[in-house]
């Protein structure tokens, strides 16, 4: 069972155990033998199974900016007593394809690097695998969007930004682009008509042009594309109409982050530090990858420790309150939890996410637990289930970028966990 | 007085005040106007006065690895009471060119970014200027060498490494290079005959080939040189004999760091964390720039917060003991403080450093205070004066790389400070 494979989209990948980075010895040796090297320049850092190492080591591959935790002590999340371990590890559930699974095995089958479960605000379960350690920040990918947009919605609440304004109100250079008549709220809810593909499996998709512009993917010799994120955004042309349907496009977040910076003068890194990392009592500094003019990548550049990700989930669960301080406006959190129009979401064709909507860059289930989620490619997940008083933070390095590859296990596993913990 | 210039080697540079990075607004704006951008690719991050910003922001320009401070509280260095401020700021001294100076003005004249003074283990004076803040790591440049070599000498003391062995004992690939018959002790004391120039003012000097190999300076299109530090080291050819004279060459440190990694399997970042950052109770994580195969730059890649640099100085002052724990062997620190042969040092022609020697990558003054120093280009300095119970940690962004440009002020300033604090 230690050398199996798993098949996704017709391709066989080494399974969770056989792709364990400790087995492969990535970057071990001085120098590591060439076949054990993980490099930025040759894109091996994005290859599988090298990714099982690189997602815990992003700052060694690209320039980054610190998200400072401040000078205070870490906040208390309790210490797992182990009382729930046997019950959780042995938890049985049926995946969305009808297969019976056990929780502990499912962690390997989702290529989990680490998972922490908070119930009633206390850590009840925590596991690390492979290259991840409790103090190491791991790539959050698009969970970054939920952090950034929650802060953006907060700026709207505070009157700093008007969500009904159109993009050129703040960024006149966006006239003549797809965004000329898009409002900030349409950005926040990703209801933008723009010619841009986020199909990770397609090497021609624009997501890779965006990544090369931002320097988070290597540029070919003689590269003559956009020099940074802002330049790239100004090339985007319209396709379809705004406000009609949900369409997930990372460039929308990058543009939102640009507006936040233009108006406040405060970088995303500093805003995350001042409004979240420091007052939440995060244990470790986080970091954001930056583009060639040192602009943090708001659409997906965050790395954070697993516990610090869980703290953010717990803050959202508590309606923005933390140790008697209201860190985020309660109305902002309530608005996110209410979601937006599921009919607009349905048009995007996420068959595994029936009934969901998307609000301020959170995925809102509208299920019996009122669960809402932050999601990142390759299995990153922050799952907040208010009616079960449950937060699950998970990092993974799944060979397939799209969440649809792990949702058939992830979604029923988390629901089963909620039932187990909350209703015994 | 706010728009003056200072002349070094026949070139006029904006002086300390007029080069203050807050005035220039480096990287301000979204995007910053092109004339305010500081970039890696065009080498502007190493230009003056852009450097006054970039030395506090190295990780935003190059990949880095974390030096973790661990989970504990920061150690107590006391809080400056201000009692000494007026006396120190007004301290008069004569520089080595015979000019009368005042301490507070001299900080600007040495392009100081931050300075902290510990007397009897307590902070008595602390100042930050320009882009530096207490929690921000600043480039240490060659102070990195003193950290790394102190750990290497500790490994020798522990019997992990034999300093009388020759380099190929651990690195057979170094046969046929300048280092074939060099011992580890000769590396530690920089008494190596190797064809390699460290003349920073010369764009053809090999130091830049080394930097390009390590990815800490941009590579031209079509670059075909060494791909990383280790590859570069294997190209070095002999010039002169080992053991005869001190010759300051950063590649010696890089090679020493390679041996440490080859033998222990522990990266420099992890060793710094486990042996210094964590047990010293450092306040902030540090970081090291890394090469394209993620090897930390032992010769000059460290960034640290100013107070954490001061903690290292205080540890050396106390003979390696910290809060009743012996973090470094007392014998290792004593050996460094004793220095090596001043006659071999004298051959290197440092006219401002008469009587000095160089031991385990520390500069040893053999003066009345038994002072010894860690030194980095552009004004980085850790000054430890045991007989005055004094530590001075200073970060700067001086337009001239060589310490000789600031020593005429720095050396008499620190001596005057020692007299003031220790003898009133």
């Amino acid at each position: 069972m230690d050398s199996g494979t798993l098949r996704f989209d017709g391709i066989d990948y080494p399974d969770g155990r056989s792709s364990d980075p400790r087995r492969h010895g990535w970057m071990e040796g001085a120098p590591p033998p060439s076949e054990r090297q993980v490099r930025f320049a040759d894109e091996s850092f994005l290859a599988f199974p090298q990714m099982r190492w690189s997602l815990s080591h992003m700052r060694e591959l690209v320039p980054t900016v610190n998200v400072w935790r401040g000078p205070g002590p870490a906040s208390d999340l309790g210490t797992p007593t182990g009382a729930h371990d046997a019950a959780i590890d042995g938890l049985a559930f049926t995946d969305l394809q009808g297969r019976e699974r056990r929780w502990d095995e499912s962690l390997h089958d989702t290529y989990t690097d680490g998972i922490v479960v908070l119930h009633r605000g206390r850590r009840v379960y925590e596991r690390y695998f492979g290259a991840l350690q409790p103090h190491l920040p791991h790539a959050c990918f698009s969970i970054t969007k939920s952090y950034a947009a929650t802060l953006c919605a907060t700026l709207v609440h505070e009157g700093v930004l008007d969500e009904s304004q159109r993009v050129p109100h703040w960024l006149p250079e966006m006239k003549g682009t797809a965004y000329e008549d898009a409002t900030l709220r349409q950005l926040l809810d990703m209801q933008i008509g723009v010619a841009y593909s986020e199909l990770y499996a397609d090497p021609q998709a624009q997501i890779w042009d965006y990544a090369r512009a931002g320097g988070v993917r290597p540029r070919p010799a003689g590269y003559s594309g956009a020099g940074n994120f802002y330049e790239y955004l100004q090339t985007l042309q319209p396709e379809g109409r705004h406000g009609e349907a949900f369409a997930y496009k990372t460039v929308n977040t990058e543009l939102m982050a640009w507006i936040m910076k233009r108006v406040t003068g405060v970088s995303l890194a500093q805003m995350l530090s001042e409004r979240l990392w420091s007052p939440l009592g995060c244990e470790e500094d986080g970091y954001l990858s930056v583009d060639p003019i040192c602009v943090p990548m708001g659409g997906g550049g965050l790395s954070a420790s697993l516990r610090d990700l869980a703290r953010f989930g717990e803050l959202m669960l508590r309606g923005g309150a933390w140790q008697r301080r209201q860190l985020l406006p309660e109305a902002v959190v309530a608005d996110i939890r209410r979601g937006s129009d599921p009919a607009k979401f349905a048009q995007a064709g996420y068959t595994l996410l029936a009934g969901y909507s998307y609000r301020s860059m959170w995925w809102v289930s509208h299920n019996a637990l009122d669960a809402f989620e932050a999601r990142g490619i390759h299995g990153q997940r922050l799952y907040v289930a208010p009616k079960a008083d449950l937060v699950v933070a998970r990092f993974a390095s799944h060979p397939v970028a799209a969440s649809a590859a792990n949702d058939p296990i992830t979604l029923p596993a988390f629901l089963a966990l909620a039932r187990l913990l909350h209703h015994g």
Side-chain angles (χ1 to χ4, degrees), chain A residues 27-40:
Chain A
M27 301 304 264
E28 287 177 16
S34 60
E35 70 277 12
R36 289 192 199 152
Q37 291 183 5
V38 180
R39 298 166 59 103
F40 176 78

Side-chain angles (χ1 to χ4, degrees), chain A residues 139-258:
Chain A
C140 292
F141 290 122
S142 293
I143 292 177
T144 314
K145 295 179 172 72
S146 308
Y147 275 97
T150 302
L151 294 182
C152 186
T154 299
L155 293 174
V156 169
H157 180 86
E158 292 169 352
V160 176
L161 295 171
D162 175 352
E163 68 178 22
S164 69
Q165 283 285 357
R166 292 181 174 159
V167 169
H169 174 70
W170 304 285
L171 301 173
E173 50 271 75
M174 292 303 291
K175 283 181 192 157
T177 74
Y179 295 92
E180 174 157 351
D181 54 352
T183 66
L184 177 58
R185 174 45 65 189
Q186 288 165 339
L187 281 186
L188 279 160
D189 294 346
M190 296 248 193
Q191 296 177 4
I192 299 290
V194 55
Y196 170 94
S197 160
E198 190 94 7
L199 271 177
Y200 294 92
D202 174 9
Q204 302 307 316
Q206 285 86 354
I207 179 78
W208 303 120
D209 296 330
Y210 156 77
R212 278 185 286 270
V216 292
R217 199 176 162 107
R219 297 169 172 181
Y223 175 79
S224 62
N228 54 57
F229 288 131
Y230 296 161
E231 284 183 15
Y232 180 71
L233 293 170
Q234 294 171 64
T235 69
L236 292 167
Q237 291 304 307
E239 182 180 274
R241 294 168 62 182
H242 306 319
E244 298 204 333
F246 168 63
Y248 184 84
K249 296 180 176 181
T250 295
V251 283
N252 296 331
T253 316
E254 215 55 65
L255 187 58
M256 176 199 81
W258 187 5

Side-chain angles (χ1 to χ4, degrees), chain A residues 84-138:
Chain A
H84 296 278
D85 281 5
I88 295 176
D89 280 331
L91 178 64
F93 63 94
T94 306
D95 74 22
L96 297 186
Q97 287 141 346
R99 179 166 159 194
E100 291 299 308
R101 293 187 180 267
R102 240 177 87 104
W103 174 276
D104 53 3
E105 286 299 316
S106 78
L107 300 180
H108 298 292
D109 291 337
T110 47
Y111 299 85
T112 299
D113 295 326
I115 188 163
V116 61
V117 177
L118 306 184
H119 185 229
R120 301 190 179 112
R122 315 298 286 173
R123 266 186 299 165
V124 296
Y125 184 87
E126 187 170 15
R127 292 285 185 277
Y128 295 89
F129 302 95
L132 190 62
Q133 299 176 55
H135 72 280
L136 276 188
H138 186 286

Side-chain angles (χ1 to χ4, degrees), chain A residues 46 48 51 55 110-111 113 138 141 200 376-380 394-403 406:
Chain A
L46 292 174
F48 190 87
M51 181 185 293
L55 299 198
T110 47
Y111 299 85
D113 295 326
H138 186 286
F141 290 122
Y200 294 92
I377 51 170
H378 300 290
Q380 321 321 315
R394 182 189 69 192
F395 288 136
S397 37
H398 196 291
V400 177
S403 296
N406 73 76

